[in-house]
Amino acid sequence: MCGIVGYIGNNDSKEILLKGLEKLEYRGYDSAGIAVLNESGVSVFKEKGRIADLRSIVDESVMANMGIGHTRWATHGVPSKDNAHPHQSATNRFTLVHNGVIENYDLLKRDYLKDVNFVSETDTEVIVQLIERFVNEGMEVLEAFRKTLSLLIGSYALALIDRENQDTIYVAKNKSPLLVGLGNGFNVVASDAMAMLQVTNQFVELMDKEIVIVTKEKVTIQNLAGKTISRDPYTAELDASDIEKGTYPHYMLKEIDEQPLVMRKIIQMYENDQNELRIDQEIIEAMNAADRIYIIAAGTSYHAGLVGKQLIEKVAKIPVEVHVASEFGYNMPLLSEKPLFIFISQSGETADSRAVLVQVKEMGYHALTITNVPGSTLSREADFTLLLHAGPEIAVASTKAYTAQIAVMAILAEVTAKSRNIPVDFDLVHELGIVANAMEILCDSKELFEHISREFLSVTRNCFFIGRGIDYYVGLEGALKLKEISYIQAEGFAGGELKHGTIALIEEGTPIIALATQENVNLSIRGNVKEVVSRGANPCIISMKGLEMDEDSFVIPEVHELLTPLISVVPLQLIAYYAALHRDCDVDKPRNLAKSVTVE
Ligand code: F6R
């Protein structure tokens, strides 16, 4: 979702801003822009479409040592040049980029800006016009900025420049992510560290309702009351090469291939010197104190949560409910007496999940975040964090984060069980090692999955995924992967549920991808396949070694039955990848989607 960059220093800012925006492309956007300021004034360049389109209109001859930039994922107003950021005030004195949603923008327009001619349909323009209005009334810029922020209801990460002041970028944040990066003789602003790794790895986190005055020499953080706050920077433990595609044609393929490595990294990060898995004692105490666990997540992370429920209930014997974050806030179930909340989020920034976290913290409950991004909002605001150690995930379609989430929840379940003296009849380190090897075999079978994808999906308009138990949950994820990147309408169903309505959609040639990795339901899922085949469906059965039958399209290596989702999802990720490729879709940046969904 929208991304922000800013630079103030001694070098020309254009290339730094454009490169920064390129690193934010993965978040999803539909237009982009930059504004740079020099002694001749502000130059704004913005364009609908890709950063490459923006690059082509930037005037190379304009040199400026400061500027701000933005990628926009449309919320208020269609994707267009007019609605793209930066936005300017009526006299063009102030120029602003914004990430987030201002809920009361209409009211503010009515109450304060009746006479202003708006050029865009965005909520953002209200902010920049308000600042100018208050300055025109005699306020200092900082005071006008502060006054404006005090009127805003909603979420924002903002960077503002003033034509009359080439020394300062004004920054503020509430609910939307924003960092300030520190350099020698320059400072930067970015939605995430990746955008500015090109120039620094020293970053300062910002908290909600903070203002930052950024000059090339100094970064001053204040609260809304004007009190200065001191905070130490941290070193972003990211390697610039982690965020490069290398020789891969797409990030998604690279990230699918990284899964065996991620499994091994997770084992390494959670193992102690005695080769035992370990988790912070306070997290295990919180697990043991809970009479019920509530997993809250969205999208792929929700699907990982469904598998996590099975792992925690079967291994650690604690009841678990899994909820979609965007529903939970206003549709809260009757909670148990001692709940523990687990938030699963690759980005750690998902606004729907964050809204629930704020709510349950206010209710006085403990929360654990499982995330890939250290220092992310959900990590900072929860009581405890478990990291995925999956490395940056750039492709919009989540792959390695899903398997990492499941592996970390397996470790959490195992360590909790042992702390409760519940016998665990498998060695998880050994089993995850087997999983890593099996993933490698699957990643080496790409040609076969390309072939399956071509055979089953090249002409279809829809596709159904079926499975029972844990396979059903993986089917949901397989369907999400396929629809989000190939735009084939795909749905996952519990094998036994299809005949209660959806079977009406089966016609001659409809592809059905069935998972058969669970011994106890192997025969029943095959029965469900027969039901659809006799109505014309074209079945692709993916089974596990030991359960295979002649009609199967692919047999995955055998792993522990609780860990099969880590393996069975890989063919589905690859089938989705090739289906998107065959249809000439933009695999890494599918239409309408954002990597980090920072609005509710
Ligand atoms: C799908 C996908 C999304 C995310 C969802 C939650 O491939 O990536 O469904 O899983 O937007 O995001 P996080 O995990 O960052 O909270």
Side-chain angles (χ1 to χ4, degrees):
M1 217 151 250
C2 309
I4 286 179
V5 289
Y7 170 86
I8 183 161
N10 295 319
N11 292 328
D12 181 43
S13 57
K14 293 190 308 289
E15 194 50 31
I16 297 170
L17 296 173
L18 288 167
K19 278 209 178 107
L21 291 181
E22 277 163 0
K23 297 291 180 228
L24 294 177
E25 281 194 291
Y26 77 97
R27 297 165 76 91
Y29 70 105
D30 34 49
S31 57
I34 60 170
V36 293
L37 175 59
N38 60 18
E39 47 297 328
S40 324
V42 187
S43 308
V44 176
F45 308 96
K46 50 190 192 175
E47 197 53 279
K48 186 180 163 193
R50 296 295 179 202
I51 307 294
D53 303 312
L54 171 63
R55 257 184 194 287
S56 69
I57 60 149
V58 170
D59 181 349
E60 277 305 315
S61 65
V62 178
M63 292 292 157
N65 295 338
M66 70 179 287
I68 53 180
H70 190 266
T71 49
R72 172 174 189 255
W73 188 82
T75 56
H76 295 63
V78 295
S80 69
K81 188 169 177 162
D82 279 345
N83 288 333
H85 300 215
H87 289 285
Q88 293 194 286
S89 58
T91 67
N92 291 348
R93 172 166 173 185
F94 295 102
T95 307
L96 177 94
V97 290
H98 165 223
N99 171 9
V101 171
I102 304 305
E103 290 159 21
N104 60 337
Y105 80 105
D106 240 354
L107 205 68
L108 292 171
K109 249 186 194 179
R110 251 199 339 258
D111 290 352
Y112 293 89
L113 302 165
K114 266 207 225 63
D115 304 328
V116 175
N117 240 343
F118 281 81
V119 293
S120 78
E121 304 158 271
T122 63
D123 49 343
T124 304
E125 200 182 337
V126 169
I127 311 173
V128 73
Q129 301 288 12
L130 274 176
I131 295 167
E132 179 156 290
R133 181 200 148 140
F134 295 134
V135 168
N136 288 345
E137 285 174 2
M139 285 187 196
E140 294 293 324
V141 174
L142 193 55
E143 198 187 348
F145 191 42
R146 213 175 264 132
K147 162 96 178 159
T148 302
L149 296 177
S150 72
L151 295 174
L152 304 181
I153 299 177
S155 53
Y156 55 79
L158 303 171
L160 171 81
I161 54 176
D162 171 9
R163 194 181 49 204
E164 315 289 306
N165 177 358
Q166 283 172 54
D167 294 331
T168 309
I169 302 178
Y170 300 92
V171 169
K173 167 195 149 46
N174 185 43
K175 296 189 191 167
S176 297
L178 200 61
L179 300 170
V180 173
L182 310 181
N184 201 352
F186 70 90
N187 287 306
V188 294
V189 180
S191 294
D192 72 38
M194 276 191 264
M196 283 299 163
L197 267 189
Q198 47 163 330
V199 288
T200 183
N201 64 357
Q202 295 299 302
F203 290 90
V204 182
E205 282 170 9
L206 303 181
M207 304 297 158
D208 284 351
K209 307 234 159 128
E210 287 182 345
I211 292 179
V212 196
I213 300 132
V214 184
T215 67
K216 66 179 183 181
E217 302 295 352
K218 207 167 163 209
V219 165
T220 311
I221 307 176
Q222 295 183 347
N223 65 15
L224 279 190
K227 187 171 174 295
T228 300
I229 295 160
S230 69
R231 186 165 305 129
D232 290 335
Y234 69 92
T235 305
E237 306 281 349
L238 282 169
D239 184 335
S241 66
D242 285 351
I243 53 175
E244 302 299 337
K245 269 203 305 253
T247 53
Y248 280 92
H250 298 101
Y251 281 107
M252 183 178 177
L253 196 61
K254 172 175 181 258
E255 289 160 8
I256 291 173
D257 267 359
E258 281 170 355
Q259 292 178 108
L261 269 177
V262 172
M263 290 299 114
R264 293 186 183 115
K265 173 94 185 191
I266 288 173
I267 299 172
Q268 184 199 336
M269 298 308 290
Y270 282 96
E271 222 180 16
N272 66 12
D273 295 344
Q274 287 79 50
N275 292 15
E276 288 162 346
L277 292 167
R278 48 144 187 86
I279 287 211
D280 282 354
Q281 192 50 30
E282 48 176 8
I283 299 179
I284 298 304
E285 280 165 18
M287 291 287 284
N288 285 326
D291 60 357
R292 185 169 287 262
I293 287 168
Y294 294 83
I295 294 181
I296 311 291
T300 288
S301 297
Y302 170 76
H303 295 155
L306 294 170
V307 177
K309 169 183 162 73
Q310 298 274 325
L311 289 163
I312 295 171
E313 288 191 338
K314 292 203 163 125
V315 179
K317 315 282 184 217
I318 307 173
V320 181
E321 288 180 24
V322 191
H323 291 270
V324 167
S326 57
E327 283 291 302
F328 190 86
Y330 61 86
N331 199 10
M332 206 179 276
L334 196 58
L335 297 178
S336 66
E337 259 177 50
K338 294 183 229 150
L340 171 68
F341 286 84
I342 300 185
F343 291 84
I344 308 177
S345 175
Q346 188 283 131
S347 63
E349 300 294 349
T350 300
D352 291 325
S353 300
R354 203 249 175 166
V356 180
L357 174 60
V358 169
Q359 224 175 327
V360 301
K361 290 303 297 164
E362 274 167 16
M363 292 162 86
Y365 297 128
H366 282 311
L368 159 68
T369 290
I370 299 180
T371 183
N372 201 24
V373 184
S376 56
T377 307
L378 284 166
S379 164
R380 279 203 314 269
E381 297 183 357
D383 302 276
F384 322 107
T385 297
L386 288 175
L387 290 176
L388 299 179
H389 301 292
E393 191 180 65
I394 310 286
V396 163
S398 182
T399 53
K400 61 177 179 172
Y402 170 81
T403 42
Q405 287 162 344
I406 293 173
V408 169
M409 281 188 284
I411 294 173
L412 178 63
E414 198 248 26
V415 178
T416 306
K418 287 193 168 153
S419 76
R420 295 155 79 89
N421 293 324
I422 296 171
V424 179
D425 62 0
F426 55 88
D427 171 355
L428 188 54
V429 172
H430 176 68
E431 297 297 340
L432 285 174
I434 294 177
V435 162
N437 294 342
M439 281 174 160
E440 251 156 27
I441 294 171
L442 296 175
C443 290
D444 287 344
S445 311
K446 290 193 187 71
E447 273 176 29
L448 194 75
F449 297 121
E450 170 157 28
H451 174 76
I452 291 179
S453 185
R454 205 179 282 283
E455 185 185 334
F456 286 89
L457 301 173
S458 52
V459 289
T460 192
R461 66 187 165 87
N462 60 6
C463 175
F464 296 96
F465 290 73
I466 60 171
R468 283 178 176 249
I470 220 165
D471 284 343
Y472 162 44
Y473 300 148
V474 180
L476 293 175
E477 174 58 10
L480 180 60
K481 280 298 82 93
L482 184 62
K483 70 181 129 188
E484 67 178 325
I485 59 169
S486 75
Y487 318 139
I488 295 171
Q489 184 172 8
E491 304 303 334
F493 285 95
E497 187 62 13
L498 214 59
K499 59 184 172 295
H500 296 289
T502 312
I503 203 161
L505 295 173
I506 304 295
E507 41 191 48
E508 202 54 44
T510 304
I512 294 273
I513 299 183
L515 292 176
T517 75
Q518 304 295 304
E519 193 173 2
N520 61 337
V521 289
N522 193 22
L523 295 180
S524 5
I525 193 67
R526 287 168 187 284
N528 299 137
V529 172
K530 289 208 167 68
E531 287 159 11
V532 289
V533 168
S534 54
R535 286 157 181 88
N538 187 15
C540 164
I541 304 176
I542 296 175
S543 63
M544 191 167 74
K545 196 156 174 25
L547 304 176
E548 72 269 33
M549 294 191 184
D550 286 348
E551 66 265 28
D552 297 353
S553 297
F554 190 81
V555 182
I556 60 173
E558 190 177 357
V559 298
H560 190 283
E561 67 169 359
L562 279 176
L563 301 179
T564 55
L566 293 171
I567 299 302
S568 56
V569 79
V570 179
L572 307 190
Q573 294 167 342
L574 285 165
I575 289 170
Y577 171 78
Y578 286 113
L581 213 59
H582 295 155
R583 287 172 183 240
D584 278 337
C585 298
D586 191 344
V587 173
D588 285 337
K589 295 185 225 97
R591 68 183 180 208
N592 304 340
L593 293 180
K595 181 73 184 160
S596 175
V597 185
T598 49
V599 293
E600 281 173 46

